[in-house]
Amino acid sequence: MSEQVQVRLEKLQALQAQGRDPFLRTIYTVDTHSKDIHNNFESFEGKNVSVAGRLMTKRMMGKASFIDVQDEHGRIQVYVKGENTGEDAYEDFKNFDIGDIIGVQGTVFLTQKGEKSVKATGIDLLAKSLHVLPEKFHGLTDKETRYRQRYLDLIVNPDVRDVFVKRTAIVKAIRAFLDARGYLEVDTPILQTIAGGASARPFITHHNTMDMQMYMRIALELPLKRLIVGGFERVYEMGRNFRNEGISLKHNPEFTMLELYEAYTDYHGIMALVEEMFRHVAQTVLGKTTISYEGHEIDLSKPFARISMAEAVKQHTGVDFYAISTPDDACAAAKEHGVHVEPHFGKGHVLEAFFDKFVEHHLIQPTFILDHPIEISPLTKKKPDKPEYTERFELFIVGKEFGNAYSELNDPVDQRARFEYQESQRAAGDDEANMIDEDFLTAIEYGMPPTGGYGMGIDRFVMLLTDSASIRDVLFFPTMKPV
């Protein structure tokens, strides 16, 4: 125990011995917040208010003091003087420490220096802080500490608070956008018997009562499509997914995903919807459609570019995958260009590897990459004129993916064949390949209408709109290895 903690603990014990334990206080009436006074001072001046928050600064000047109290919305200065609070209360106040939670009753006024403030007539200790806060944010520079002790990060850094306030606003704006277009928000199971709907490595758990292996879901897709089969025409879900994969600036093992499905449309219809949604959310939350991210100015108001994956690779490498006919030829092109391939790779996998290496980082302005190869798109309709490719798009901005969408495959015979191919890939060593979901196959055998679907990581979208470099900056509690 540090000396400072010991001193604070002794203060607490003294109060408790006097029967004035601050932790026994259960209710404190708050009728005003800092932003109310700052934004509407004229209507508050001269009025009695009750505020509460954390004591952040304390400037003692003999028989009077100025302090700053921080609540959820910011800080308000408080003038504390014994003749206003009572001398006994002022003596108690002198023992308050930076970080303590306090309540203040008083009158709103303007100081001689023009500072909007509260003149305290009463001041109460509501909770004792036993630890010393960093004096300024530069006292909390270690990112690991910031992420592990997010509560401390939030206390001392207002910019961090702003990111999470915006995150909530972004989620609300997405919901409002989809609700207004007739989408129904739903919930689907997190624990699943088949890890399906995406190419990813799942977390595996065990259900004791049923004595069976289960998976934390890696995607929302297959349950939502079952609802389309059941007759709902527009559904969406924002929920947690879990993928047992690496941690990076863009990836966390648990993350929030938006998936939406609309009957009687295709990936072109979904493209139009996504473009409109991005503009709507940016305008609603930020008040503008031109944003800055990592030094780039991104204009969401202009039509998003559209180009096929094969055409984009040809533009950047000169390799024409439309002219390549066999996996061997594709692998030969990969070797020539220094592209890594795995033993199970087909032509489509090689095309994707080319795209990842040579194209993705060039896509700064919003760009829809269309028509992915069938080998990497097991749940997507084939293109009628190019059956090796599918009606699929991914949206890229500043070299990062912001969504994946299909004209959903609703042919049960074709879907079974795709699942079987995925199983063969799994047997060949691809542990991210899809498993066969017999119940899903049964569902679409009953008939699923033509459907367009889209999935997007909410965390990554928040990163974009808040100019945050790491996914850990937009998650309250990112996954961390215990110390």
Side-chain angles (χ1 to χ4, degrees):
M1 186 182 299
S2 72
E3 182 179 348
Q4 290 175 313
V5 171
Q6 182 64 44
V7 169
R8 290 181 178 220
L9 186 58
E10 289 171 358
K11 289 181 181 180
L12 172 63
Q13 291 169 341
L15 289 171
Q16 292 170 332
Q18 297 166 18
R20 297 192 295 157
D21 187 344
F23 295 119
L24 294 180
R25 187 77 175 257
T26 57
I27 295 176
Y28 187 85
T29 301
V30 176
D31 59 25
T32 307
H33 286 88
S34 57
K35 71 172 184 179
D36 301 326
I37 297 171
H38 287 300
N39 295 343
N40 303 285
F41 179 75
E42 292 76 11
S43 62
F44 275 94
E45 188 174 15
K47 290 188 176 180
N48 293 325
V49 296
S50 177
V51 300
R54 191 177 296 274
L55 177 58
M56 297 300 292
T57 66
K58 189 177 183 183
R59 304 177 294 284
M60 305 292 291
M61 298 179 295
K63 294 185 178 181
S65 302
F66 282 99
I67 62 174
D68 285 322
V69 177
Q70 178 171 290
D71 61 21
E72 182 181 5
H73 303 288
R75 295 188 184 188
I76 188 69
Q77 179 174 269
V78 176
Y79 176 63
V80 188
K81 191 173 184 181
E83 67 181 45
N84 298 325
T85 62
E87 294 301 334
D88 290 343
Y90 189 73
E91 288 301 313
D92 289 340
F93 157 75
K94 287 183 184 180
N95 287 317
F96 291 3
D97 292 305
I98 302 300
D100 288 351
I101 306 297
I102 65 173
V104 176
Q105 310 88 45
T107 305
V108 176
F109 78 112
L110 197 67
T111 68
Q112 292 181 347
K113 292 184 177 180
E115 182 78 19
K116 299 169 184 176
S117 307
V118 174
K119 185 183 296 182
T121 56
I123 189 164
D124 298 285
L125 180 63
L126 306 180
K128 187 69 185 169
S129 173
L130 299 182
H131 288 284
V132 179
L133 296 179
E135 290 183 11
K136 295 181 180 178
F137 182 64
H138 66 248
L140 189 64
T141 56
D142 181 66
K143 286 190 175 183
E144 289 287 312
T145 302
R146 289 181 53 207
Y147 298 144
R148 291 181 188 280
Q149 296 180 285
R150 180 66 83 188
Y151 47 87
L152 190 58
D153 194 20
L154 291 166
I155 290 170
V156 300
N157 185 10
D159 292 340
V160 173
R161 285 172 168 268
D162 185 59
V163 166
F164 289 103
V165 170
K166 281 190 172 72
R167 180 188 176 107
T168 296
I170 289 165
V171 170
K172 289 173 66 175
I174 292 171
R175 280 198 168 99
F177 176 85
L178 294 174
D179 292 347
R181 283 153 184 79
Y183 280 81
L184 178 71
E185 184 175 11
V186 299
D187 293 307
T188 61
I190 291 175
L191 282 176
Q192 300 180 347
T193 56
I194 296 287
S199 296
R201 186 181 299 113
F203 285 95
I204 303 172
T205 187
H206 185 82
H207 193 288
N208 291 334
T209 301
M210 293 190 287
D211 190 23
M212 62 183 291
Q213 182 170 282
M214 299 191 78
Y215 302 90
M216 303 289 282
R217 71 181 175 197
I218 58 174
L220 311 171
E221 180 165 347
L222 300 187
L224 292 175
K225 286 183 179 178
R226 287 173 170 91
L227 299 182
I228 296 292
V229 171
F232 290 107
E233 295 182 1
R234 298 184 181 193
V235 295
Y236 77 95
E237 181 173 4
M238 275 189 275
R240 286 292 212 205
N241 283 348
F242 306 84
R243 297 183 182 179
N244 196 356
E245 298 171 347
I247 295 175
S248 70
L249 293 177
K250 299 186 293 182
H251 297 96
N252 193 68
E254 61 173 305
F255 58 97
T256 303
M257 193 81 176
L258 163 70
E259 289 201 30
L260 62 88
Y261 293 87
E262 180 177 338
Y264 310 112
T265 192
D266 65 1
Y267 73 143
H268 291 292
I270 298 298
M271 264 186 268
L273 179 81
V274 169
E275 242 184 278
E276 187 182 356
M277 182 174 70
F278 269 58
R279 293 188 190 113
H280 169 83
V281 175
Q283 185 65 49
T284 300
V285 176
L286 306 178
K288 57 186 179 180
T289 54
T290 299
I291 62 174
S292 294
Y293 188 81
E294 295 184 343
H296 299 287
E297 186 173 276
I298 308 302
D299 190 351
L300 299 175
S301 67
K302 294 180 179 178
F304 293 5
R306 303 183 184 194
I307 185 172
S308 75
M309 181 179 283
E311 289 167 345
V313 167
K314 184 178 180 180
Q315 281 187 6
H316 288 274
T317 68
V319 178
D320 184 359
F321 273 81
Y322 288 139
I324 291 176
S325 57
T326 69
D328 288 343
D329 290 341
C331 289
K335 184 176 181 180
E336 182 180 343
H337 287 77
V339 176
H340 175 73
V341 298
E342 296 287 346
H344 65 273
F345 274 16
K347 172 185 165 182
H349 296 99
V350 178
L351 170 57
E352 182 186 35
F354 264 80
F355 175 82
D356 291 345
K357 181 171 183 177
F358 295 112
V359 181
E360 187 172 319
H361 61 280
H362 292 294
L363 304 176
I364 304 302
Q365 295 301 320
T367 303
F368 289 120
I369 295 295
L370 314 178
D371 304 347
H372 294 52
I374 195 168
E375 294 98 324
I376 63 170
S377 309
L379 298 162
T380 314
K381 278 184 181 288
K382 298 175 184 176
K383 288 185 68 66
D385 57 333
K386 292 187 178 73
E388 290 183 59
Y389 298 89
T390 61
E391 295 190 349
R392 174 182 172 187
F393 74 76
E394 290 177 299
L395 173 60
F396 287 87
I397 307 173
V398 292
K400 298 176 175 63
E401 181 214 322
F402 288 91
N404 185 18
Y406 317 145
S407 296
E408 303 295 338
L409 180 58
N410 60 344
D411 177 346
V413 176
D414 189 359
Q415 183 64 82
R416 179 174 291 278
R418 305 275 193 97
F419 276 153
E420 289 173 349
Y421 173 77
Q422 289 286 304
E423 283 284 352
S424 71
Q425 294 295 293
R426 177 176 286 273
D430 184 359
D431 57 2
E432 295 187 356
N434 281 228
M435 303 176 185
I436 295 178
D437 188 332
E438 290 290 350
D439 182 74
F440 175 70
L441 289 170
T442 299
I444 62 173
E445 284 170 358
Y446 278 98
M448 185 174 86
T451 299
Y454 172 73
M456 174 183 71
I458 293 294
D459 311 305
R460 199 172 293 183
F461 189 39
V462 175
M463 288 170 62
L464 177 70
L465 295 188
T466 60
D467 196 6
S468 299
S470 170
I471 192 171
R472 292 183 174 188
D473 294 327
V474 301
L475 297 172
F476 272 127
F477 305 108
T479 302
M480 307 285 288
K481 189 174 183 178
V483 294

